[in-house]
Amino acid sequence: MKKLVIAAIALGGTVAAGAAVADTSAKKIALSNNYAGNSWRQAMLESWQKVTSKAVSDGVVAAADAFTTAENQATEQAAQIQNLILQGYDAIVLNAASPTALNGAVKEACDAGITVVSFDGVVKEPCAWRIAVDFKQMGKDEVTYVAQKMPNGGNLLEIRGLAGVFVDDEISAGIHEGVAENAQFKIVGSVHGDWAQDVAQKAVAGILPSLPEIAAVVTQGGDGYGAAQAFKAAGRPTPLIIMGNRQDELAWWQEQKDANGYETMSVSIAPGVSTLAFWVAQAILDGKEVPKDLVVPFLRIDQDTLAESLKTTPVGGVANVEYSQADAQKVIEGAQ
Amino acid sequence: MAAEPAWQRLLAQPWLWSYLAAASVWAATIAFTQGQGGGQVLTAAFTFAAFFVIVGIGQMFVVTLGPGNVDLSIPATMTLAGTLAMRIMDGHEALILPGLALALGCGVVIGAINYGLIRALRIPPIIATLSSSFLIQSTAIWYNRGIRIKPPPALAEFATAQVAGVPVLAVGVILLTVLMHVLLTRTRYGRAVLAIGQNQRAAGLAGIPVDRIRLGTYMLCATLAGLCGYVQAGFAGGAALNMGEEYLLASIAVVVIGGTSVAGGNANVPGLWGAALFLFLLVTMLNTFGLGAGIRLVMTGIIIIAVIIAASGRQRAR
């Protein structure tokens, strides 16, 4: 049903934007991506491929090629951007290795008259557009949810992401802000799970024996299943674990829900945000007025939407949403 | 040597320091929690140290071959072997052994390719294995596209099984370690590896088939990485594209902390366990103390450097 509605909106969007088709049909858009080594990035590239190849065959744009650097390094990506400038792309959609280290290359692209739209890993260079996620709010929402479920409070275990990365600091700041507002909760332990199930499992297994009873585990995505495994291995009761939209997390949740009515929620950004960035770049090339800072909504899964989300998520993949031209229009209007 | 008292001989053992470090870090953790959960921490430590030890053994043999020898393709090999095996098995218990054979075979082939690059194209090992790791990792990405496939239930049960708090997997790896200790110290192959590490030219003149031994060592290392990828995927509920990431530094760290000489020619198998336990317990201790991420990383660096200095100081004294 929901899909149908989205499809209808998309159709409407294409028709409504009919006038735009002529204006960008000769334009070339490139995706500059810094990393491909996990399931989230793979889904991101797949969504890009799926949505942009249709846009190209529909004649909305002339080309939409994806380029990924081998080593997840800013210097390498800066060189890649310089190549894209020389190759004559009209817009570069960018998931950046660093918020600042690419500023020089991004400025060069802007000076060459190229539209730069950064998303997920955004850049600080003012000439570029930014499609960011309010990660702080995401962390805060987790604590708010736990507080609703457990009004009496309790001990929290926090699983953080990769140390030193902007996203990790933001989500964690949101979680701590949420805990400050809900004084009945206390963070009794904090480990780095690097957004990977096996790293999270190892870190939690190490700290768990020294912790008192845990009421809930607040996470950053990609670490919930590993945490659940660690609790099981230690023979401790399973707390409320916030999930991060990975299929193994959702499958585990569904299993627990069927077995004992387990309740939690799952939140993350959809990898399809790359397609939103694509449509935003297209809108800018089309001459539309677009604010420099846009905010993309989270993809949140709750008890009642779990079964449906699990069905549409590929085994071992990540829950995903692909955005349409109309969705992009809505996000742009929302920011104006 | 023989005239020295027993305690002096013990003090001169290069592996001693890694065990001392592991024990004191464990004691500090337990003191902080006032005795709570000491046994469980040890159970967890043995479980996770086992993975470090598997790749550490392979890296140790390679490093022992002499200056410049190192295998940087371990993480990629783990990932490829793990994903290939999980995907072929696809959760079927009848395919557990063929899956294992595939993971090991994957390692054998990668080891041969690595040494082919080093010998035939005369590329230094550090660059050869790094560039081959890009090829291997890309193959894994291409083959698997980020999909995480669950291991067969029996494999997952075996990998996570415990008997009275003792992880079965760790017992298996301890047996493997004993085997490898015998291989290093009691066989012609092991002696040849040590001889090449001390002086490759002299070893060649003494009639040791240097090329065959080096090829075998790189193959052994990659095969153990394949084994580690296989059991790690079984343990963690599936192979992920980033599963090998932390094993690059860890595989080298356990070798060095364990008392093996980075310059080659002098290896130490028992030290691998002490070092692997130490690495896990160190992170656990700093997590338990609740220190911030920055301080945790700085402390990890300082403590590792301190242990290495202590260990090498002993060797010099000898």
Side-chain angles (χ1 to χ4, degrees), chain A residues 70-71 73, chain B residues 68 70-77 110 113-115 117-118 123-138 218 248 252:
Chain A
E71 266 238 75
Q73 272 175 15
Chain B
V70 68
D71 186 352
L72 301 184
S73 67
I74 285 177
T77 307
I110 292 172
I113 293 174
N114 277 342
Y115 192 64
L117 290 174
I118 295 167
I123 307 174
I126 195 165
I127 297 172
T129 53
L130 188 63
S131 45
S132 77
S133 87
F134 283 131
L135 297 177
I136 302 161
Q137 182 77 20
S138 303
Y218 276 91
L248 180 56
I252 300 171

PDB file of all heavy atoms in Angstrom, chain A residues 70-71 73, chain B residues 68 70-77 110 113-115 117-118 123-138 218 248 252:
ATOM      1  N   ALA A  70      39.475   3.440  -3.880  1.00  0.00           N
ATOM      2  CA  ALA A  70      39.846   2.132  -3.332  1.00  0.00           C
ATOM      3  C   ALA A  70      40.128   2.202  -1.836  1.00  0.00           C
ATOM      4  O   ALA A  70      39.879   1.253  -1.110  1.00  0.00           O
ATOM      5  CB  ALA A  70      41.057   1.596  -4.079  1.00  0.00           C
ATOM      6  N   GLU A  71      40.639   3.346  -1.364  1.00  0.00           N
ATOM      7  CA  GLU A  71      41.265   3.293  -0.046  1.00  0.00           C
ATOM      8  C   GLU A  71      40.620   4.136   1.047  1.00  0.00           C
ATOM      9  O   GLU A  71      41.187   4.265   2.113  1.00  0.00           O
ATOM     10  CB  GLU A  71      42.732   3.701  -0.182  1.00  0.00           C
ATOM     11  CG  GLU A  71      43.638   2.508  -0.362  1.00  0.00           C
ATOM     12  CD  GLU A  71      44.688   2.457   0.723  1.00  0.00           C
ATOM     13  OE1 GLU A  71      44.338   2.091   1.843  1.00  0.00           O
ATOM     14  OE2 GLU A  71      45.835   2.792   0.439  1.00  0.00           O
ATOM     15  N   GLN A  73      40.444   7.328   1.427  1.00  0.00           N
ATOM     16  CA  GLN A  73      41.351   8.381   1.866  1.00  0.00           C
ATOM     17  C   GLN A  73      41.024   9.685   1.166  1.00  0.00           C
ATOM     18  O   GLN A  73      40.720   9.705  -0.026  1.00  0.00           O
ATOM     19  CB  GLN A  73      42.795   7.983   1.574  1.00  0.00           C
ATOM     20  CG  GLN A  73      43.386   7.182   2.715  1.00  0.00           C
ATOM     21  CD  GLN A  73      44.768   6.681   2.385  1.00  0.00           C
ATOM     22  OE1 GLN A  73      45.389   7.150   1.448  1.00  0.00           O
ATOM     23  NE2 GLN A  73      45.222   5.734   3.183  1.00  0.00           N
TER      24      GLN A  73
ATOM     25  N   GLY B  68      61.529  -7.372   6.353  1.00  0.00           N
ATOM     26  CA  GLY B  68      60.706  -7.034   5.194  1.00  0.00           C
ATOM     27  C   GLY B  68      59.594  -8.027   4.924  1.00  0.00           C
ATOM     28  O   GLY B  68      58.692  -7.753   4.145  1.00  0.00           O
ATOM     29  N   VAL B  70      56.252  -9.706   5.590  1.00  0.00           N
ATOM     30  CA  VAL B  70      55.031  -9.491   6.354  1.00  0.00           C
ATOM     31  C   VAL B  70      53.880  -9.763   5.394  1.00  0.00           C
ATOM     32  O   VAL B  70      54.023  -9.626   4.182  1.00  0.00           O
ATOM     33  CB  VAL B  70      54.979  -8.047   6.910  1.00  0.00           C
ATOM     34  CG1 VAL B  70      54.824  -7.031   5.808  1.00  0.00           C
ATOM     35  CG2 VAL B  70      53.881  -7.884   7.930  1.00  0.00           C
ATOM     36  N   ASP B  71      52.747 -10.224   5.914  1.00  0.00           N
ATOM     37  CA  ASP B  71      51.589 -10.480   5.057  1.00  0.00           C
ATOM     38  C   ASP B  71      50.473  -9.499   5.414  1.00  0.00           C
ATOM     39  O   ASP B  71      49.861  -9.607   6.468  1.00  0.00           O
ATOM     40  CB  ASP B  71      51.111 -11.924   5.223  1.00  0.00           C
ATOM     41  CG  ASP B  71      50.006 -12.261   4.230  1.00  0.00           C
ATOM     42  OD1 ASP B  71      49.530 -11.327   3.543  1.00  0.00           O
ATOM     43  OD2 ASP B  71      49.622 -13.430   4.139  1.00  0.00           O
ATOM     44  N   LEU B  72      50.244  -8.522   4.539  1.00  0.00           N
ATOM     45  CA  LEU B  72      49.198  -7.525   4.807  1.00  0.00           C
ATOM     46  C   LEU B  72      47.862  -7.930   4.188  1.00  0.00           C
ATOM     47  O   LEU B  72      46.893  -7.180   4.265  1.00  0.00           O
ATOM     48  CB  LEU B  72      49.623  -6.159   4.256  1.00  0.00           C
ATOM     49  CG  LEU B  72      50.922  -5.591   4.827  1.00  0.00           C
ATOM     50  CD1 LEU B  72      51.175  -4.197   4.275  1.00  0.00           C
ATOM     51  CD2 LEU B  72      50.866  -5.540   6.339  1.00  0.00           C
ATOM     52  N   SER B  73      47.819  -9.099   3.559  1.00  0.00           N
ATOM     53  CA  SER B  73      46.565  -9.493   2.897  1.00  0.00           C
ATOM     54  C   SER B  73      45.679 -10.331   3.819  1.00  0.00           C
ATOM     55  O   SER B  73      44.650 -10.843   3.383  1.00  0.00           O
ATOM     56  CB  SER B  73      46.868 -10.254   1.608  1.00  0.00           C
ATOM     57  OG  SER B  73      47.473 -11.482   1.904  1.00  0.00           O
ATOM     58  N   ILE B  74      46.079 -10.488   5.092  1.00  0.00           N
ATOM     59  CA  ILE B  74      45.300 -11.329   6.018  1.00  0.00           C
ATOM     60  C   ILE B  74      43.836 -10.897   6.123  1.00  0.00           C
ATOM     61  O   ILE B  74      42.930 -11.730   5.997  1.00  0.00           O
ATOM     62  CB  ILE B  74      45.983 -11.371   7.411  1.00  0.00           C
ATOM     63  CG1 ILE B  74      47.212 -12.268   7.348  1.00  0.00           C
ATOM     64  CG2 ILE B  74      45.024 -11.861   8.489  1.00  0.00           C
ATOM     65  CD1 ILE B  74      48.000 -12.336   8.634  1.00  0.00           C
ATOM     66  N   PRO B  75      43.531  -9.595   6.340  1.00  0.00           N
ATOM     67  CA  PRO B  75      42.116  -9.208   6.480  1.00  0.00           C
ATOM     68  C   PRO B  75      41.299  -9.545   5.235  1.00  0.00           C
ATOM     69  O   PRO B  75      40.183 -10.068   5.342  1.00  0.00           O
ATOM     70  CB  PRO B  75      42.173  -7.691   6.685  1.00  0.00           C
ATOM     71  CG  PRO B  75      43.546  -7.405   7.150  1.00  0.00           C
ATOM     72  CD  PRO B  75      44.422  -8.444   6.531  1.00  0.00           C
ATOM     73  N   ALA B  76      41.859  -9.263   4.053  1.00  0.00           N
ATOM     74  CA  ALA B  76      41.124  -9.518   2.816  1.00  0.00           C
ATOM     75  C   ALA B  76      40.923 -11.018   2.613  1.00  0.00           C
ATOM     76  O   ALA B  76      39.856 -11.470   2.183  1.00  0.00           O
ATOM     77  CB  ALA B  76      41.874  -8.915   1.636  1.00  0.00           C
ATOM     78  N   THR B  77      41.966 -11.799   2.954  1.00  0.00           N
ATOM     79  CA  THR B  77      41.854 -13.251   2.807  1.00  0.00           C
ATOM     80  C   THR B  77      40.760 -13.803   3.717  1.00  0.00           C
ATOM     81  O   THR B  77      39.958 -14.652   3.305  1.00  0.00           O
ATOM     82  CB  THR B  77      43.203 -13.911   3.145  1.00  0.00           C
ATOM     83  OG1 THR B  77      44.223 -13.293   2.373  1.00  0.00           O
ATOM     84  CG2 THR B  77      43.164 -15.392   2.842  1.00  0.00           C
ATOM     85  N   ILE B 110      45.687 -17.998  -2.461  1.00  0.00           N
ATOM     86  CA  ILE B 110      46.123 -16.614  -2.231  1.00  0.00           C
ATOM     87  C   ILE B 110      47.588 -16.571  -1.795  1.00  0.00           C
ATOM     88  O   ILE B 110      48.365 -15.728  -2.263  1.00  0.00           O
ATOM     89  CB  ILE B 110      45.218 -15.931  -1.181  1.00  0.00           C
ATOM     90  CG1 ILE B 110      43.823 -15.734  -1.764  1.00  0.00           C
ATOM     91  CG2 ILE B 110      45.817 -14.598  -0.748  1.00  0.00           C
ATOM     92  CD1 ILE B 110      42.815 -15.253  -0.761  1.00  0.00           C
ATOM     93  N   ILE B 113      49.710 -16.962  -4.798  1.00  0.00           N
ATOM     94  CA  ILE B 113      49.712 -15.728  -5.602  1.00  0.00           C
ATOM     95  C   ILE B 113      50.633 -14.683  -4.960  1.00  0.00           C
ATOM     96  O   ILE B 113      51.446 -14.049  -5.631  1.00  0.00           O
ATOM     97  CB  ILE B 113      48.288 -15.164  -5.738  1.00  0.00           C
ATOM     98  CG1 ILE B 113      47.429 -16.123  -6.572  1.00  0.00           C
ATOM     99  CG2 ILE B 113      48.306 -13.781  -6.379  1.00  0.00           C
ATOM    100  CD1 ILE B 113      45.970 -15.742  -6.640  1.00  0.00           C
ATOM    101  N   ASN B 114      50.493 -14.539  -3.634  1.00  0.00           N
ATOM    102  CA  ASN B 114      51.324 -13.571  -2.919  1.00  0.00           C
ATOM    103  C   ASN B 114      52.804 -13.826  -3.190  1.00  0.00           C
ATOM    104  O   ASN B 114      53.559 -12.922  -3.535  1.00  0.00           O
ATOM    105  CB  ASN B 114      51.070 -13.663  -1.402  1.00  0.00           C
ATOM    106  CG  ASN B 114      49.858 -12.862  -0.982  1.00  0.00           C
ATOM    107  OD1 ASN B 114      49.408 -11.989  -1.721  1.00  0.00           O
ATOM    108  ND2 ASN B 114      49.328 -13.164   0.177  1.00  0.00           N
ATOM    109  N   TYR B 115      53.204 -15.091  -3.015  1.00  0.00           N
ATOM    110  CA  TYR B 115      54.634 -15.364  -3.198  1.00  0.00           C
ATOM    111  C   TYR B 115      55.029 -15.241  -4.662  1.00  0.00           C
ATOM    112  O   TYR B 115      56.159 -14.861  -4.976  1.00  0.00           O
ATOM    113  CB  TYR B 115      55.017 -16.730  -2.623  1.00  0.00           C
ATOM    114  CG  TYR B 115      56.517 -16.867  -2.546  1.00  0.00           C
ATOM    115  CD1 TYR B 115      57.238 -16.014  -1.713  1.00  0.00           C
ATOM    116  CD2 TYR B 115      57.211 -17.764  -3.339  1.00  0.00           C
ATOM    117  CE1 TYR B 115      58.613 -16.065  -1.652  1.00  0.00           C
ATOM    118  CE2 TYR B 115      58.598 -17.832  -3.292  1.00  0.00           C
ATOM    119  CZ  TYR B 115      59.289 -16.980  -2.447  1.00  0.00           C
ATOM    120  OH  TYR B 115      60.660 -17.021  -2.400  1.00  0.00           O
ATOM    121  N   LEU B 117      53.923 -12.982  -6.698  1.00  0.00           N
ATOM    122  CA  LEU B 117      54.189 -11.547  -6.884  1.00  0.00           C
ATOM    123  C   LEU B 117      55.565 -11.185  -6.335  1.00  0.00           C
ATOM    124  O   LEU B 117      56.334 -10.449  -6.960  1.00  0.00           O
ATOM    125  CB  LEU B 117      53.115 -10.713  -6.172  1.00  0.00           C
ATOM    126  CG  LEU B 117      51.711 -10.727  -6.766  1.00  0.00           C
ATOM    127  CD1 LEU B 117      50.751  -9.966  -5.855  1.00  0.00           C
ATOM    128  CD2 LEU B 117      51.725 -10.089  -8.148  1.00  0.00           C
ATOM    129  N   ILE B 118      55.857 -11.733  -5.147  1.00  0.00           N
ATOM    130  CA  ILE B 118      57.118 -11.383  -4.489  1.00  0.00           C
ATOM    131  C   ILE B 118      58.313 -11.914  -5.278  1.00  0.00           C
ATOM    132  O   ILE B 118      59.285 -11.205  -5.533  1.00  0.00           O
ATOM    133  CB  ILE B 118      57.141 -11.956  -3.051  1.00  0.00           C
ATOM    134  CG1 ILE B 118      56.059 -11.285  -2.202  1.00  0.00           C
ATOM    135  CG2 ILE B 118      58.515 -11.785  -2.421  1.00  0.00           C
ATOM    136  CD1 ILE B 118      55.793 -11.979  -0.888  1.00  0.00           C
ATOM    137  N   ILE B 123      58.581  -7.902  -6.300  1.00  0.00           N
ATOM    138  CA  ILE B 123      57.964  -6.814  -5.541  1.00  0.00           C
ATOM    139  C   ILE B 123      58.213  -7.082  -4.058  1.00  0.00           C
ATOM    140  O   ILE B 123      58.080  -8.213  -3.610  1.00  0.00           O
ATOM    141  CB  ILE B 123      56.442  -6.769  -5.799  1.00  0.00           C
ATOM    142  CG1 ILE B 123      56.170  -6.726  -7.302  1.00  0.00           C
ATOM    143  CG2 ILE B 123      55.804  -5.581  -5.105  1.00  0.00           C
ATOM    144  CD1 ILE B 123      54.706  -6.837  -7.648  1.00  0.00           C
ATOM    145  N   PRO B 124      58.577  -6.056  -3.275  1.00  0.00           N
ATOM    146  CA  PRO B 124      58.760  -6.278  -1.833  1.00  0.00           C
ATOM    147  C   PRO B 124      57.459  -6.814  -1.216  1.00  0.00           C
ATOM    148  O   PRO B 124      56.371  -6.369  -1.588  1.00  0.00           O
ATOM    149  CB  PRO B 124      59.085  -4.887  -1.290  1.00  0.00           C
ATOM    150  CG  PRO B 124      59.516  -4.096  -2.470  1.00  0.00           C
ATOM    151  CD  PRO B 124      58.853  -4.678  -3.666  1.00  0.00           C
ATOM    152  N   PRO B 125      57.565  -7.747  -0.221  1.00  0.00           N
ATOM    153  CA  PRO B 125      56.372  -8.393   0.349  1.00  0.00           C
ATOM    154  C   PRO B 125      55.328  -7.402   0.834  1.00  0.00           C
ATOM    155  O   PRO B 125      54.129  -7.610   0.656  1.00  0.00           O
ATOM    156  CB  PRO B 125      56.936  -9.191   1.523  1.00  0.00           C
ATOM    157  CG  PRO B 125      58.354  -9.444   1.172  1.00  0.00           C
ATOM    158  CD  PRO B 125      58.813  -8.289   0.344  1.00  0.00           C
ATOM    159  N   ILE B 126      55.785  -6.302   1.440  1.00  0.00           N
ATOM    160  CA  ILE B 126      54.836  -5.359   2.033  1.00  0.00           C
ATOM    161  C   ILE B 126      53.932  -4.766   0.953  1.00  0.00           C
ATOM    162  O   ILE B 126      52.730  -4.596   1.141  1.00  0.00           O
ATOM    163  CB  ILE B 126      55.606  -4.271   2.821  1.00  0.00           C
ATOM    164  CG1 ILE B 126      54.654  -3.505   3.735  1.00  0.00           C
ATOM    165  CG2 ILE B 126      56.345  -3.329   1.931  1.00  0.00           C
ATOM    166  CD1 ILE B 126      55.380  -2.690   4.774  1.00  0.00           C
ATOM    167  N   ILE B 127      54.496  -4.511  -0.237  1.00  0.00           N
ATOM    168  CA  ILE B 127      53.704  -3.934  -1.329  1.00  0.00           C
ATOM    169  C   ILE B 127      52.932  -5.019  -2.065  1.00  0.00           C
ATOM    170  O   ILE B 127      51.755  -4.854  -2.410  1.00  0.00           O
ATOM    171  CB  ILE B 127      54.623  -3.153  -2.291  1.00  0.00           C
ATOM    172  CG1 ILE B 127      55.264  -1.993  -1.529  1.00  0.00           C
ATOM    173  CG2 ILE B 127      53.849  -2.624  -3.484  1.00  0.00           C
ATOM    174  CD1 ILE B 127      56.319  -1.264  -2.292  1.00  0.00           C
ATOM    175  N   ALA B 128      53.578  -6.167  -2.254  1.00  0.00           N
ATOM    176  CA  ALA B 128      52.923  -7.265  -2.965  1.00  0.00           C
ATOM    177  C   ALA B 128      51.654  -7.702  -2.238  1.00  0.00           C
ATOM    178  O   ALA B 128      50.583  -7.845  -2.849  1.00  0.00           O
ATOM    179  CB  ALA B 128      53.886  -8.436  -3.100  1.00  0.00           C
ATOM    180  N   THR B 129      51.765  -7.899  -0.912  1.00  0.00           N
ATOM    181  CA  THR B 129      50.592  -8.403  -0.187  1.00  0.00           C
ATOM    182  C   THR B 129      49.536  -7.316  -0.025  1.00  0.00           C
ATOM    183  O   THR B 129      48.346  -7.607   0.003  1.00  0.00           O
ATOM    184  CB  THR B 129      50.992  -8.948   1.198  1.00  0.00           C
ATOM    185  OG1 THR B 129      51.728  -7.956   1.901  1.00  0.00           O
ATOM    186  CG2 THR B 129      51.834 -10.197   1.063  1.00  0.00           C
ATOM    187  N   LEU B 130      49.984  -6.058   0.043  1.00  0.00           N
ATOM    188  CA  LEU B 130      49.007  -4.970   0.147  1.00  0.00           C
ATOM    189  C   LEU B 130      48.198  -4.858  -1.146  1.00  0.00           C
ATOM    190  O   LEU B 130      46.974  -4.732  -1.131  1.00  0.00           O
ATOM    191  CB  LEU B 130      49.719  -3.645   0.448  1.00  0.00           C
ATOM    192  CG  LEU B 130      48.817  -2.460   0.769  1.00  0.00           C
ATOM    193  CD1 LEU B 130      48.031  -2.736   2.046  1.00  0.00           C
ATOM    194  CD2 LEU B 130      49.616  -1.180   0.938  1.00  0.00           C
ATOM    195  N   SER B 131      48.904  -4.933  -2.284  1.00  0.00           N
ATOM    196  CA  SER B 131      48.169  -4.797  -3.545  1.00  0.00           C
ATOM    197  C   SER B 131      47.317  -6.032  -3.813  1.00  0.00           C
ATOM    198  O   SER B 131      46.194  -5.919  -4.315  1.00  0.00           O
ATOM    199  CB  SER B 131      49.122  -4.520  -4.701  1.00  0.00           C
ATOM    200  OG  SER B 131      50.227  -5.377  -4.634  1.00  0.00           O
ATOM    201  N   SER B 132      47.808  -7.216  -3.452  1.00  0.00           N
ATOM    202  CA  SER B 132      46.961  -8.396  -3.662  1.00  0.00           C
ATOM    203  C   SER B 132      45.735  -8.316  -2.754  1.00  0.00           C
ATOM    204  O   SER B 132      44.665  -8.812  -3.107  1.00  0.00           O
ATOM    205  CB  SER B 132      47.739  -9.686  -3.412  1.00  0.00           C
ATOM    206  OG  SER B 132      47.892  -9.922  -2.039  1.00  0.00           O
ATOM    207  N   SER B 133      45.864  -7.673  -1.595  1.00  0.00           N
ATOM    208  CA  SER B 133      44.707  -7.573  -0.705  1.00  0.00           C
ATOM    209  C   SER B 133      43.603  -6.721  -1.326  1.00  0.00           C
ATOM    210  O   SER B 133      42.419  -6.958  -1.097  1.00  0.00           O
ATOM    211  CB  SER B 133      45.108  -7.047   0.672  1.00  0.00           C
ATOM    212  OG  SER B 133      45.100  -5.646   0.702  1.00  0.00           O
ATOM    213  N   PHE B 134      43.982  -5.734  -2.160  1.00  0.00           N
ATOM    214  CA  PHE B 134      42.943  -4.965  -2.878  1.00  0.00           C
ATOM    215  C   PHE B 134      42.186  -5.873  -3.835  1.00  0.00           C
ATOM    216  O   PHE B 134      40.957  -5.831  -3.924  1.00  0.00           O
ATOM    217  CB  PHE B 134      43.576  -3.813  -3.666  1.00  0.00           C
ATOM    218  CG  PHE B 134      43.959  -2.639  -2.810  1.00  0.00           C
ATOM    219  CD1 PHE B 134      45.213  -2.072  -2.899  1.00  0.00           C
ATOM    220  CD2 PHE B 134      43.041  -2.107  -1.913  1.00  0.00           C
ATOM    221  CE1 PHE B 134      45.561  -1.000  -2.098  1.00  0.00           C
ATOM    222  CE2 PHE B 134      43.389  -1.028  -1.118  1.00  0.00           C
ATOM    223  CZ  PHE B 134      44.653  -0.478  -1.214  1.00  0.00           C
ATOM    224  N   LEU B 135      42.956  -6.705  -4.559  1.00  0.00           N
ATOM    225  CA  LEU B 135      42.309  -7.622  -5.506  1.00  0.00           C
ATOM    226  C   LEU B 135      41.376  -8.574  -4.772  1.00  0.00           C
ATOM    227  O   LEU B 135      40.241  -8.816  -5.192  1.00  0.00           O
ATOM    228  CB  LEU B 135      43.370  -8.429  -6.265  1.00  0.00           C
ATOM    229  CG  LEU B 135      44.326  -7.632  -7.149  1.00  0.00           C
ATOM    230  CD1 LEU B 135      45.361  -8.539  -7.785  1.00  0.00           C
ATOM    231  CD2 LEU B 135      43.529  -6.914  -8.231  1.00  0.00           C
ATOM    232  N   ILE B 136      41.862  -9.107  -3.647  1.00  0.00           N
ATOM    233  CA  ILE B 136      41.070 -10.102  -2.912  1.00  0.00           C
ATOM    234  C   ILE B 136      39.811  -9.453  -2.348  1.00  0.00           C
ATOM    235  O   ILE B 136      38.704  -9.990  -2.456  1.00  0.00           O
ATOM    236  CB  ILE B 136      41.920 -10.707  -1.771  1.00  0.00           C
ATOM    237  CG1 ILE B 136      43.194 -11.344  -2.326  1.00  0.00           C
ATOM    238  CG2 ILE B 136      41.122 -11.729  -0.996  1.00  0.00           C
ATOM    239  CD1 ILE B 136      44.273 -11.538  -1.292  1.00  0.00           C
ATOM    240  N   GLN B 137      39.995  -8.270  -1.738  1.00  0.00           N
ATOM    241  CA  GLN B 137      38.839  -7.583  -1.134  1.00  0.00           C
ATOM    242  C   GLN B 137      37.809  -7.224  -2.216  1.00  0.00           C
ATOM    243  O   GLN B 137      36.609  -7.382  -2.009  1.00  0.00           O
ATOM    244  CB  GLN B 137      39.326  -6.316  -0.417  1.00  0.00           C
ATOM    245  CG  GLN B 137      38.240  -5.533   0.306  1.00  0.00           C
ATOM    246  CD  GLN B 137      37.843  -6.176   1.629  1.00  0.00           C
ATOM    247  OE1 GLN B 137      38.568  -6.963   2.195  1.00  0.00           O
ATOM    248  NE2 GLN B 137      36.638  -5.872   2.115  1.00  0.00           N
ATOM    249  N   SER B 138      38.292  -6.779  -3.380  1.00  0.00           N
ATOM    250  CA  SER B 138      37.366  -6.437  -4.460  1.00  0.00           C
ATOM    251  C   SER B 138      36.621  -7.672  -4.938  1.00  0.00           C
ATOM    252  O   SER B 138      35.431  -7.608  -5.258  1.00  0.00           O
ATOM    253  CB  SER B 138      38.122  -5.824  -5.632  1.00  0.00           C
ATOM    254  OG  SER B 138      38.827  -4.695  -5.199  1.00  0.00           O
ATOM    255  N   TYR B 218      54.250 -18.483   3.115  1.00  0.00           N
ATOM    256  CA  TYR B 218      53.186 -17.555   2.715  1.00  0.00           C
ATOM    257  C   TYR B 218      51.862 -18.299   2.521  1.00  0.00           C
ATOM    258  O   TYR B 218      50.787 -17.779   2.833  1.00  0.00           O
ATOM    259  CB  TYR B 218      53.585 -16.780   1.447  1.00  0.00           C
ATOM    260  CG  TYR B 218      54.431 -15.570   1.761  1.00  0.00           C
ATOM    261  CD1 TYR B 218      55.814 -15.652   1.803  1.00  0.00           C
ATOM    262  CD2 TYR B 218      53.833 -14.347   2.073  1.00  0.00           C
ATOM    263  CE1 TYR B 218      56.594 -14.558   2.130  1.00  0.00           C
ATOM    264  CE2 TYR B 218      54.599 -13.238   2.390  1.00  0.00           C
ATOM    265  CZ  TYR B 218      55.985 -13.346   2.415  1.00  0.00           C
ATOM    266  OH  TYR B 218      56.733 -12.249   2.745  1.00  0.00           O
ATOM    267  N   LEU B 248      44.509  -6.687  10.701  1.00  0.00           N
ATOM    268  CA  LEU B 248      45.773  -6.305  10.072  1.00  0.00           C
ATOM    269  C   LEU B 248      46.779  -5.920  11.154  1.00  0.00           C
ATOM    270  O   LEU B 248      47.841  -6.506  11.281  1.00  0.00           O
ATOM    271  CB  LEU B 248      45.536  -5.130   9.117  1.00  0.00           C
ATOM    272  CG  LEU B 248      46.785  -4.629   8.402  1.00  0.00           C
ATOM    273  CD1 LEU B 248      47.453  -5.754   7.647  1.00  0.00           C
ATOM    274  CD2 LEU B 248      46.443  -3.512   7.456  1.00  0.00           C
ATOM    275  N   ILE B 252      49.898  -8.425  13.529  1.00  0.00           N
ATOM    276  CA  ILE B 252      51.295  -8.035  13.720  1.00  0.00           C
ATOM    277  C   ILE B 252      51.573  -7.773  15.198  1.00  0.00           C
ATOM    278  O   ILE B 252      52.613  -8.168  15.733  1.00  0.00           O
ATOM    279  CB  ILE B 252      51.631  -6.788  12.871  1.00  0.00           C
ATOM    280  CG1 ILE B 252      51.404  -7.110  11.388  1.00  0.00           C
ATOM    281  CG2 ILE B 252      53.068  -6.345  13.099  1.00  0.00           C
ATOM    282  CD1 ILE B 252      51.486  -5.921  10.468  1.00  0.00           C
TER     283      ILE B 252
END
